[in-house]
Amino acid sequence: MSSESTEVWTGWYRDRRGAEAIALTVAVAGETREVRTRIRGVEYEGPSFAALGVAGSGEALAGSVLEWDMGMAVSAQPATLSCLLTLGDRAPDGRPERVDLNLTLHFGGAAYESGIAGGDFDEALGRIRRQLPPGTTIDGRLLETA
């Protein structure tokens, strides 16, 4: 049985030049994860949302905001995870000067927020898990792809 999967989420990209709709694709093959998107005709890829760079050159995405929603299941109930990734301006080393990730889980009529996390999706999701009622489970497939 193969452990390969691909998920696609739509969202928005914003920077000083304006906003545009984007699609984020996450492919997982075994232990390897690759996030891809196209912004203004340029392909970006990386091992995580916070580490996107120009395909082939690795030049980091910076000075922008990415927003997207992920449909998911929480304790077998439909839920939505809203994601907001803010990438600061480019630092002298070429990477964003800051990476801020904020997740909000909309589930059961409530919103659970991660607060600002430094780009680590698992850490941000862990903060949300600790707020959920005892016995509540988040679909594990999400962790594999995000």
Side-chain angles (χ1 to χ4, degrees):
M1 185 161 103
S2 172
S3 64
E4 294 181 21
S5 66
T6 300
E7 297 282 338
V8 178
W9 299 290
T10 58
W12 289 93
Y13 168 84
R14 290 191 316 269
D15 65 11
R16 289 177 183 92
R17 293 175 43 201
E20 76 171 56
I22 60 169
L24 292 155
T25 302
V26 180
V28 177
E31 302 273 328
T32 305
R33 172 185 6 193
E34 184 169 76
V35 179
R36 299 180 76 84
T37 192
R38 177 187 293 254
I39 301 168
R40 297 189 180 114
V42 177
E43 294 285 336
Y44 290 86
E45 63 186 17
S48 69
F49 297 110
L52 286 169
V54 176
S57 79
E59 180 183 336
L61 185 60
S64 57
V65 174
L66 295 147
E67 282 185 272
W68 69 99
D69 288 339
M70 301 170 142
M72 56 187 292
V74 175
S75 292
Q77 304 282 328
T80 301
L81 186 66
S82 297
C83 309
L84 176 66
L85 177 65
T86 304
L87 302 168
D89 290 331
R90 197 172 315 282
D93 68 1
R95 293 182 297 182
E97 61 189 4
R98 75 177 200 289
V99 177
D100 296 331
L101 176 66
N102 189 349
L103 304 180
T104 304
L105 176 66
H106 303 276
F107 165 69
Y112 302 90
E113 295 215 25
S114 68
I116 301 296
D120 187 312
F121 195 91
D122 292 336
E123 176 187 337
L125 196 57
R127 290 179 183 183
I128 288 174
R129 277 192 165 148
R130 289 188 290 277
Q131 298 172 47
L132 295 173
T136 305
T137 58
I138 295 176
D139 180 0
R141 193 172 48 103
L142 174 69
L143 290 177
E144 293 172 14
T145 58

